[in-house]
């Protein structure tokens, strides 16, 4: 049993509490991405470091994008009536760690690959990564709302979930295609 003082203590603010906290998290993430880009302009990797960064980049892609595809697969199972919403929410909440680890690994290793910031393709890929990051953050808020949903899920949450999945897929596939094109130039 907790003491009366412990029950009155305010709960700390968490990332997925509201749109304001998600927006603050997105702003912080974008500042970190910009700082990383600035650092990438001021460092050079030798051949061994570049090979290690390329391996880490590919491994992070497998980890992050694989987890995203798994999460979206669970969403499709639910949409086709093959599993319940509670199962989808539980499965996708477990996939957040590998998704974020993969995305973080892609960003860090990508910065070590010295991106060409004069290339339109590279700038497009960076924009997709930034959009993917913001989309992932708001997906956490969506997950909280779905966890709290009782009974039938409203049309608004369904549209929100569908839009989140479409943006995610477009960003991941777009970044993969651009990475492939940049590698073969």
């Amino acid at each position: 049993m907790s003491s009366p003082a412990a029950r009155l203590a305010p709960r700390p603010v968490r990332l997925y509490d509201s749109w304001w906290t998600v927006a603050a998290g997105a702003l912080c993430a974008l500042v970190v991405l910009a700082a990383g880009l600035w650092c990438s302009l001021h460092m050079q990797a030798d051949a061994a470091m570049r090979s290690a960064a390329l391996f880490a980049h590919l491994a992070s892609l497998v980890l992050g994008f694989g987890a995203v595809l798994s999460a979206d697969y669970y969403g499709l199972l639910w949409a086709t009536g093959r599993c319940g919403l509670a199962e989808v929410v539980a499965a996708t909440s477990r996939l957040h760690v590998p998704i974020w680890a993969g995305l973080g690994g892609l960003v860090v290793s990508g910065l070590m690959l010295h991106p060409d910031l004069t290339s339109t393709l590279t700038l497009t890929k960076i924009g997709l990564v930034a959009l993917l990051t913001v989309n992932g953050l708001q997906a956490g808020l969506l997950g909280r709302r779905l966890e709290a949903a009782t009974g039938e899920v409203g049309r608004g949450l369904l549209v929100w979930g569908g839009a989140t999945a479409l943006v995610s897929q477009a960003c991941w596939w777009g970044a993969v295609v651009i990475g492939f094109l940049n590698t073969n130039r």
Side-chain angles (χ1 to χ4, degrees), residues 162-181:
T164 297
L166 287 174
V167 169
S168 174
Q169 288 294 315
C171 290
W172 278 100
W173 283 108
V176 166
V177 168
I178 291 171
F180 174 77
L181 293 173

Side-chain angles (χ1 to χ4, degrees), residues 61-87:
L61 175 65
V62 169
L63 177 65
F65 196 23
V68 165
L69 290 172
S70 295
D72 289 347
Y73 176 70
Y74 272 98
L76 284 174
L77 288 176
W78 174 76
T80 58
R82 298 177 76 199
C83 69
L85 180 62
E87 184 180 354

Side-chain angles (χ1 to χ4, degrees), residues 41-167:
L41 292 173
H42 296 88
M43 62 183 217
Q44 275 307 103
D46 61 8
M49 181 62 84
R50 183 167 168 73
S51 291
L54 184 56
F55 178 81
H57 204 65
L58 294 173
S60 296
L61 175 65
V62 169
L63 177 65
F65 196 23
V68 165
L69 290 172
S70 295
D72 289 347
Y73 176 70
Y74 272 98
L76 284 174
L77 288 176
W78 174 76
T80 58
R82 298 177 76 199
C83 69
L85 180 62
E87 184 180 354
V88 173
V89 171
T92 56
S93 68
R94 287 184 209 106
L95 292 168
H96 282 270
V97 171
I99 290 170
W100 285 111
L103 182 59
L106 280 166
V107 169
V108 171
S109 61
L111 294 173
M112 293 171 57
L113 292 172
H114 196 65
D116 177 11
L117 298 181
T118 63
S119 164
T120 303
L121 276 177
T122 300
L123 293 176
T124 302
K125 184 176 180 180
I126 292 166
L128 289 172
V129 169
L131 179 58
L132 184 62
T133 302
V134 172
N135 189 58
L137 288 168
Q138 68 82 32
L141 184 59
L142 170 63
R144 283 271 172 93
R145 301 273 169 90
L146 287 171
E147 282 176 0
T150 56
E152 196 75 19
V153 176
R155 180 177 297 247
L157 281 178
L158 290 175
V159 170
W160 183 5
T164 297
L166 287 174
V167 169

